[in-house]
Amino acid sequence: MREVTVAAVQMKCCADRKKNIEHAEHLVRQAAGKGAQVILLPELFEGPYFCQERRYESYALAKTAEENDAVRHFSKIASELQVVIPVSFYEETKNSMFNSVAVLDADGRNLGIYRKTHIPDDHYYQEKFYFTPGDTGFRVFDTRYGKIGIGICWD
């Protein structure tokens, strides 16, 4: 049986998306330096959790995986450090927006996307205002260090 070291990053996010990505990178490097091979970043860590209020201007935060700053940034970091990094992001497609994770393998390749399936609907979480239920099904990704499945929050 193979032994794999996994780390989960916990951090406070500010309004400056660039600073959040830089802070997350610092924590990823710290985890990798301690031997982590799979490093999970927080849900929608590029900024403060925006889904507690209905604000139309927040729709502008959604991007494709190819355009998303965090996905592009951590693709390079995953390759450099030879670690697997699942990156949570607000995804835009042609017709919908999703709460998604791009699974970046240790060579920086995006192995694919998982889209959050179960979207909460109550007065503390306005996620149905922002997200369509995922259409990827529950997936397992074959990474350099082993197979991993992704679930987001209520999944």
Side-chain angles (χ1 to χ4, degrees):
M1 175 177 262
R2 179 192 300 192
E3 193 172 301
V4 177
T5 302
V6 178
V9 169
Q10 185 173 359
M11 58 185 263
K12 183 176 181 178
C13 300
C14 67
D16 186 328
R17 297 170 78 75
K18 183 178 179 189
K19 281 185 182 178
N20 292 326
I21 290 171
E22 289 171 357
H23 185 56
E25 178 185 338
H26 170 75
L27 296 171
V28 164
R29 288 183 181 282
Q30 186 177 42
K34 293 181 178 183
Q37 297 158 301
V38 179
I39 305 169
L40 178 63
L41 294 167
E43 182 179 4
L44 301 172
F45 71 95
E46 289 179 87
Y49 192 71
F50 61 89
C51 304
Q52 292 179 303
E53 298 178 315
R54 293 180 180 211
R55 298 175 57 160
Y56 288 102
E57 59 269 21
S58 294
Y59 288 155
L61 300 173
K63 296 180 180 179
T64 66
E66 295 77 24
E67 297 170 328
N68 180 272
D69 293 334
V71 173
R72 292 186 335 191
H73 182 84
F74 282 101
S75 175
K76 295 172 192 165
I77 300 302
S79 177
E80 175 192 337
L81 300 176
Q82 300 293 292
V83 297
V84 173
I85 308 175
V87 177
S88 174
F89 70 106
Y90 188 16
E91 181 187 18
E92 177 183 40
T93 66
K94 289 182 183 177
N95 300 316
S96 300
M97 291 182 273
F98 299 96
N99 184 343
S100 301
V101 169
V103 178
L104 305 177
D105 206 0
D107 61 2
R109 285 182 303 125
N110 182 350
L111 297 179
I113 302 292
Y114 168 74
R115 295 177 175 145
K116 183 176 179 177
T117 301
H118 299 100
I119 310 298
D121 186 25
D122 67 30
H123 61 281
Y124 292 112
Y125 298 97
Q126 301 297 315
E127 291 191 17
K128 288 197 177 199
F129 181 76
Y130 296 103
F131 309 128
T132 300
D135 58 1
T136 58
F138 293 101
R139 300 186 60 194
V140 174
F141 298 88
D142 192 8
T143 74
R144 178 178 298 175
Y145 301 111
K147 295 179 187 299
I148 63 171
I150 302 294
I152 303 172
C153 195
W154 278 29
D155 288 341

